Amino acid sequence: MPTKITVIYDNPTDPSAFEAAYPEQVALAKALPGLQRIESAKVWPKEDGTPTPAYRQVDLYFSDYDAASAAVATEEAGALFPHIFGLATGGVRILFSDVEES
């Protein structure tokens, strides 16, 4: 079954610094072996303009769970994940999920 790794960033302490460093993270993610597709999204604020709990989301798609698991054990992931945690000044969640429908 196709699998995705989702990175959900909470609101950073400095959004400008986050956005300046974010393109490098996307480039590092694109280097993961077995990656089939990457999807990046910025969360809209609430209707009144206040932030939601989440700020950005990145979905990394792989052919299956084994491919996703193998990718996170590579040298490329060794470069990516410290960047993720360094950028996540407001917090971060990382999920492995089966893609049931696309």
Side-chain angles (χ1 to χ4, degrees), residues 65-95:
Y65 181 82
D66 290 339
S69 295
V72 299
T74 63
E75 184 176 314
E76 293 83 357
L80 172 62
F81 282 94
H83 194 276
I84 288 173
F85 293 117
L87 203 54
T89 57
V92 66
R93 287 158 281 162
I94 300 174
L95 312 168

Side-chain angles (χ1 to χ4, degrees), residues 49-83:
T50 59
T52 62
Y55 179 76
R56 266 198 180 274
Q57 174 177 317
V58 180
D59 291 305
L60 309 170
Y61 292 86
F62 296 87
S63 60
D64 55 30
Y65 181 82
D66 290 339
S69 295
V72 299
T74 63
E75 184 176 314
E76 293 83 357
L80 172 62
F81 282 94
H83 194 276

Side-chain angles (χ1 to χ4, degrees), residues 25 68 74 97:
Q25 181 197 286
T74 63
S97 305

